[in-house]
């Protein structure tokens, strides 16, 4: 007799994982009144969503329309001020009537508004500009800045190519022998500036040179802390060269 035959078969195992079956709760169908209630509730919620979306859209459209109207009014006011006062020196489109006066076309509006405020408060000294800005409001200063920023920048080549070449090197690299920092480190490689720093590209060489000299002599009474430290290391030749380079930028 074999061991397999002598050993009785115990049958299927009764131990092991126990499977629990969830008892299903019988579903009670909704009554006609209940179905009507939920249908009306959903319809009401849908209408509320539609009204909310419509009201929001109208509000946004109204804000956009109001902003557009205000922007047009500001630009019209700016044009009126330019035509009455600014154009004599700076031109109707900020192109400037003389190298003595800065070109404002393409200049950052924040920078223009700040300079106008500084002229009015006396932080930046200028007898001529103090009279011009005396009656300007902060909103008008901003409007003027935005108007001039939108104007086209007229590009002209530098008059002295050799001097401009020297200025390019100083602007981009500074002067390691005198400790002069590169102008581009603040004003950018394209001299486009920022909201806080002026655009220098395309500015009149004579105006830039004058401002550099005023910073050096502390005659420029605003924005002077950093610029005086920079310009104090520049020679008159370097000032003229950088100004010439930027005028044709």
């Amino acid at each position: 007799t074999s061991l397999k035959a002598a050993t009785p078969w115990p049958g299927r195992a009764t131990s092991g994982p126990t499977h629990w079956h969830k008892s299903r709760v019988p579903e009670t169908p909704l009554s006609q009144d209940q179905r009507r209630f939920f249908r009306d509730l959903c319809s009401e919620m849908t209408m509320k969503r539609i009204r909310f979306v419509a009201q929001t859209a109208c509000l946004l459209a109204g804000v956009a329309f109001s902003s557009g109207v205000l922007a047009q009014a500001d630009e019209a006011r700016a044009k009126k001020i330019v035509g009455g006062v600014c154009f004599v020196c700076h031109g109707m489109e900020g192109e400037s009537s003389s190298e003595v006066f800065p070109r404002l076309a393409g200049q950052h509006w924040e920078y223009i508004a700040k300079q106008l405020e500084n002229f009015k408060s006396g932080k930046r000294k200028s007898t001529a500009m103090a009279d011009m800005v005396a009656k300007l409001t902060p909103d008008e200063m901003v409007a003027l800045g935005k108007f001039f920023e939108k104007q086209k920048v007229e590009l002209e080549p530098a008059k002295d190519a050799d001097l401009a070449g020297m200025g390019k090197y100083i602007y981009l690299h500074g002067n390691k022998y005198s400790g002069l920092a590169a102008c581009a480190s603040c004003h950018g490689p394209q001299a486009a500036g920022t909201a806080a720093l002026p655009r220098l590209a395309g500015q009149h060489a004579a105006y830039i040179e004058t401002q550099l000299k005023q910073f050096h002599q502390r005659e420029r009474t605003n924005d002077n802390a950093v610029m005086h430290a920079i310009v104090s290391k520049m020679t008159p030749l370097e000032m003229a060269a950088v100004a010439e380079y930027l005028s044709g930028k």
Side-chain angles (χ1 to χ4, degrees):
T1 304
S2 67
L3 180 60
K4 181 177 180 180
T7 305
W9 176 250
R12 298 184 64 181
T14 58
S15 61
T18 304
H19 299 281
W20 299 93
H21 298 281
K22 295 181 180 179
S23 57
R24 298 183 62 182
V25 177
E27 298 179 359
T28 304
L30 296 176
S31 66
Q32 186 175 1
D33 290 338
Q34 288 174 325
R35 287 197 299 272
R36 185 182 300 108
F37 169 77
F38 285 114
R39 184 174 60 251
D40 294 343
L41 179 62
C42 291
S43 178
E44 182 180 356
M45 292 176 66
T46 300
M47 290 304 299
K48 285 183 177 179
R49 289 194 186 98
I50 293 174
R51 283 196 296 270
F52 174 77
V53 172
Q55 290 170 354
T56 302
C58 291
L59 178 62
L60 293 176
V63 170
F65 177 75
S66 299
S67 299
V69 171
L70 290 175
Q72 291 177 355
D74 289 343
E75 184 170 355
R77 177 61 178 153
K79 285 183 178 180
K80 185 176 181 179
I81 296 172
V82 172
V85 181
C86 311
F87 82 98
V88 177
C89 299
H90 299 285
M92 276 303 298
E93 297 179 350
E95 70 278 12
S96 176
S97 60
S98 167
E99 289 191 356
V100 176
F101 308 116
R103 286 175 171 153
L104 301 180
Q107 187 61 268
H108 300 285
W109 73 263
E110 298 94 336
Y111 183 79
I112 292 177
K114 176 180 181 292
Q115 297 307 309
L116 292 174
E117 188 281 326
N118 284 182
F119 280 128
K120 185 173 182 177
S121 68
K123 189 174 182 180
R124 181 174 177 179
K125 303 297 182 183
S126 172
T127 304
M129 284 300 302
D131 293 338
M132 298 296 179
V133 302
K135 296 182 180 180
L136 289 181
T137 66
D139 288 343
E140 289 172 336
M141 294 177 186
V142 170
L144 285 168
K146 291 184 176 181
F147 170 77
F148 282 121
E149 184 182 49
K150 290 167 56 178
Q151 304 310 309
K152 183 180 178 181
V153 180
E154 297 293 339
L155 301 178
E156 296 180 3
K159 297 177 181 178
D160 188 332
D162 292 337
L163 186 61
M166 176 186 174
K168 178 178 181 180
Y169 183 88
I170 297 298
Y171 182 86
L172 295 176
H173 306 288
N175 185 343
K176 66 179 181 180
Y177 300 103
S178 64
L180 174 64
C183 311
S185 60
C186 290
H187 293 279
Q190 301 302 319
T194 65
L197 296 171
R199 173 191 173 91
L200 301 177
Q203 189 57 268
H204 288 307
Y207 178 78
I208 294 178
E209 187 175 359
T210 298
Q211 295 305 302
L212 291 175
K213 290 178 178 178
Q214 288 185 356
F215 278 125
H216 179 59
Q217 298 165 0
R218 290 194 183 279
E219 293 178 2
R220 172 78 181 258
T221 51
N222 73 334
D223 305 327
N224 200 11
V226 175
M227 282 304 300
H228 175 74
I230 298 295
V231 181
S232 63
K233 297 178 181 180
M234 295 182 75
T235 66
L237 177 60
E238 289 173 334
M239 293 182 194
V242 168
E244 186 67 19
Y245 165 66
L246 290 170
S247 69
K249 184 74 176 140

